[in-house]
Amino acid sequence: MNLLNETAVAPAAKVVDYGRKLEAAIQAIQADIAAYPAIQQQYPARWLAIKLLEQDHDLQTRLLAIEGGPALLTKTQLAYARLAADYGEEIDVLIADRRYTYIHELVGRVMQKPPETLSLTDKIDRLVTHRLLGVPIFMAVMWVVFKLTAVVSAPLLDWVDGVVSGPITHWAAALLAWVGLGGSWVEALALDGVIAGVGGVLVFVPVLMFLYVSLAVLEDTGYMARAAFVMDGLMNRIGLQGKSFLPMMVGFGCTVPAIYATRTLENEKDRILTGLLVPFMSCGARLPVYVLFATVFFSAYAGAVVFSMYVLGIITAVLLGLVLRKTLFKDKEQTALLMELPPYRRPNWRTIWSHTWERTRSFIQNAWSLILITSVILWLLMAIPVGAEGGSFADTDVDHSLFSSVAGAISPALEPLGFGTWEAGGALISGFVAKEVVVSTFAQVYGMGETAVTPAPTTFLQDIGQIGRGFGTAVLDTIKAIPLIVGIDVRGGAG
Amino acid sequence: MLKEVLHAIEAANGPVHVAELSRQLGIERTALEGMIAYWVQHGRLQDNSAPQESCGPAGSTGSTGPTGSTGHCGPTCTGTSTCAFVVKMPRSYTLAQKK
């Protein structure tokens, strides 16, 4: 910007014109101030008159201690009340408004803006926040994210699975045999309970890392802010509270803080409605469950299935929101939303790694605490025999265990939902503790029924070599799987 | 000027972003940010990314929204500033509902 006509402004002579009535009130108060020399000596009269009309509490307190101050305050309060009645609004807002208008006009007179050119951020925003294109672009981005998490990460998932069920299980068995616990219930607890349960969840760490890297890239580039902006627009268009989408976006990470985030909504009905809808947003903990089922039942379309689960959650939330708005929340007002969109940036890989690692670490910590405890409890339930055919403790078929009895008693109630078997019903109930536990329950239920295949004995060094080679192959296969995002298979062979 | 900002937000058909509002009203972005801060201070706009009062020290980690550092997502405080899984959101404001 260029400074123009500098001589046109004589700063010393300029005062803000607050309008006829306000100026009259200011002058009246100035005249009152002149009657109190103690006050006049301390403060410039016009400045003080304006501050008193602005209801400056600090100044009001100071005046109380000065001779004539209380009387001046009473007079000012009367003037304020008259003006507020005349204007129908707060006088301090009026004064601030006049000041901003004055500054704006002054800047307009003395500064010349260069012709407005759109920055790269503006140009991209015109596309990604477009009222019609914004949502399809958001969906396309999410599609890529879920292809990355469900398809591209698959070779690394298989590698971790191989390490957990192979070398780690062998080492644990060998260690227990070395201390004389081979074949005991302790070995069963360690292998079938802890390693099968916790390991069954930990194999999904690569999947989650791909999700966390994707989210971190979207956050760091600035796209996540646009996604929130676009989805807020969609929410508003279908009659939902726009601001409610912020907790919902948080819900894609974790439901608990998302429910807490509803505290930012000042209206109780908004909080309740949003709190009811947030659990339909698929949090990170559900991803292992989605990936497990998608890979088992729809291996060729795992990415599409996982993506559709996320979309289904959003659609369900939207439909439920519409129903609730037309029934229980009829009188709810909509509030406008103003958002700051940061400029687009190149992602900082250090930040991305930091976010990814924090999230992955939290997941692993959760696996080692809550999921470990739950896995041990589940193992105990599966190890306690029930009935004459049950056998003995830790040497029973899971079909004749306490777990199958309890889950079998509950499963008829879940049959209408499609969870009629004790295995599915038991896994579902265990998911109340933590969603990931569903995976570990299945791992334990079906793992215990399997006949262990004794692998060819290997040395520790052979195992390490196998882990290293497996990792190299998995990384290579992961790179080859990237073109699958756009439907191109360059892997050859098994494809 | 100040009131125009509030009226423009009220009249917007959907969400508005600060740069767009700045262009629409012909107000410098930095001046607009000052006006937004004024309305936040006066309780007419609510800053959604401001730390929650009930949060205590854990929630006062920043003003640009939840960043997550400790990985704690348990039932304490508001959770958003301490849970690593929380997605970082942009600063946003809503009109405070009239009482």
Side-chain angles (χ1 to χ4, degrees), chain A residues 313-366:
Chain A
I314 296 170
I315 292 171
T316 310
V318 166
L319 293 178
L320 182 65
L322 283 173
V323 170
L324 290 173
R325 249 188 81 80
K326 291 195 187 302
T327 53
L328 296 173
F329 298 89
K330 266 181 189 170
D331 57 339
K332 214 172 61 55
E333 270 181 47
Q334 284 185 46
T335 55
L337 187 86
L338 177 67
M339 227 178 230
E340 276 183 11
L341 297 182
Y344 289 102
R345 290 180 307 199
R346 267 175 217 269
N348 179 318
W349 295 108
R350 191 184 286 264
T351 312
I352 287 168
W353 171 248
S354 158
H355 280 184
T356 304
W357 173 241
E358 279 296 334
R359 288 166 177 166
T360 307
R361 197 184 65 174
S362 292
F363 178 79
I364 294 170
Q365 276 173 349
N366 198 26

Side-chain angles (χ1 to χ4, degrees), chain A residues 1 89 92 97 104 113 116 131 212 219 243 260 263-264 266-267 336-340 358-359 362, chain B residues 1-3 13 16 18 23 26 28 42 46 48 54 69 71 75 78 84-86 88 91 93-94:
Chain A
M1 291 178 204
E89 64 181 307
D92 55 330
D97 187 56
H104 184 70
K113 289 182 188 175
E116 195 178 346
R131 281 178 190 271
Y212 298 149
E219 283 171 316
K243 188 180 168 185
Y260 278 116
R263 287 189 191 180
T264 58
E266 64 270 41
N267 182 295
L337 187 86
L338 177 67
M339 227 178 230
E340 276 183 11
E358 279 296 334
R359 288 166 177 166
S362 292
Chain B
M1 276 281 100
L2 257 182
K3 283 184 283 180
N13 180 24
V16 198
V18 175
R23 269 196 297 273
E28 278 296 318
H42 269 67
Q46 193 186 352
N48 299 328
S54 57
S69 57
T78 57
F85 298 109
V86 169
K88 194 163 69 181
R91 184 181 276 271
Y93 310 88
T94 34

